Amino acid sequence: AAMAGFVRELERRGGPALRLEQRAAGGVGCVVWDAALVLAKFLETGACPLARRRVLELGAGTGAVGIMAATLGGAEKTLAFETCQEIVIVVCLKEMPTQQCGMFWALMLVHGKYLTSFGQSLEPLLKTLKDLTGPDTCVLCCYEQRTMGKNPEIERQYFELLQMDFELEKIPLDKHDEEYRSEDIHIMNIHRKQT
């Protein structure tokens, strides 16, 4: 009963709804975040074509974005990396047979490891992004803007540090899915700066 939760359905234009299980216990990685739903539906609009691309989802949580990318049919391979608890990986893999979505892997990654150890700073995440991107890599960052506590300062620092190596372009709200959009959920298109 400690792992009880509920299923959030995400309607799709061309097929059955995705059924994403959200757990009542297990931390932030067991939540189907609103920002994940917004980004998943943005991918479905076709504004960011996935044909002949490899898709990597960092901070996958329940894997909503990665699962949507895989169901769209164009993505060559979809990998979902979670940075929190092992149970999330089980949730992602458990849902896969019913999703009919082609190639999908769910793995554990600690930002900066393999490529420094994880700390409470932003540097490991930024290092991971730098290690995984090249000149033709498109990074989509979707986040819900928070106004409480340390969140605004962390957000400011993150984007300030990110701009040292990347160019940022905010995707206008009117380009998001008509139903899945919110004034406080932002999608950024991020590319490595040309050197």
Side-chain angles (χ1 to χ4, degrees):
M3 295 306 294
F6 60 93
V7 173
R8 288 185 76 174
E9 286 201 2
L10 180 60
E11 296 293 325
R12 293 190 311 133
R13 294 176 184 164
L18 298 180
R19 296 176 46 81
L20 304 162
E21 187 173 352
Q22 179 163 306
R23 299 292 183 147
V28 297
C30 294
V31 175
V32 181
W33 294 99
D34 291 341
L37 299 177
V38 167
L39 184 54
K41 291 299 283 184
F42 174 75
L43 290 178
E44 194 180 38
T45 69
C48 180
L50 299 177
R52 294 179 301 280
R53 291 225 180 230
R54 292 187 177 149
V55 176
L56 170 68
E57 180 184 7
L58 292 175
T62 58
V65 176
I67 293 169
M68 177 64 88
T71 64
L72 293 174
E76 186 177 308
K77 293 180 185 174
T78 301
L79 295 95
F81 283 100
E82 180 48 57
T83 56
C84 297
Q85 290 114 16
E86 194 169 341
I87 189 65
V88 176
I89 307 314
V90 175
V91 171
C92 289
L93 295 176
K94 177 183 166 200
E95 289 295 310
M96 293 318 299
T98 62
Q99 304 300 344
Q100 302 175 350
C101 63
M103 288 198 248
F104 184 92
W105 290 267
L107 305 168
M108 198 92 136
L109 171 72
V110 175
H111 291 308
K113 189 174 178 184
Y114 319 123
L115 310 164
T116 87
S117 64
F118 184 73
Q120 292 298 97
S121 68
L122 298 168
E123 285 80 9
L125 173 59
L126 294 167
K127 179 172 177 14
T128 299
L129 286 174
K130 285 180 8 183
D131 288 347
L132 293 174
T133 58
D136 297 324
T137 306
C138 172
V139 177
L140 293 175
C141 173
C142 188
Y143 67 98
E144 185 170 352
Q145 190 169 15
R146 310 278 185 191
T147 58
M148 303 293 287
K150 296 180 182 179
N151 292 317
E153 178 59 21
I154 292 170
E155 182 182 312
R156 185 195 63 73
Q157 287 177 2
Y158 171 70
F159 286 113
E160 189 175 283
L161 291 169
L162 192 62
Q163 290 180 71
M164 294 172 69
D165 297 293
F166 294 88
E167 294 177 359
L168 313 176
E169 174 192 358
K170 184 175 179 180
I171 296 174
L173 191 62
D174 65 356
K175 300 290 185 191
H176 297 203
D177 179 85
E178 290 179 13
E179 186 178 340
Y180 287 83
R181 64 171 70 167
S182 172
E183 293 285 339
D184 57 351
I185 296 179
H186 308 285
I187 304 174
M188 302 292 286
N189 191 348
I190 301 169
H191 288 83
R192 286 289 292 269
K193 286 184 176 177
Q194 301 298 321
T195 54

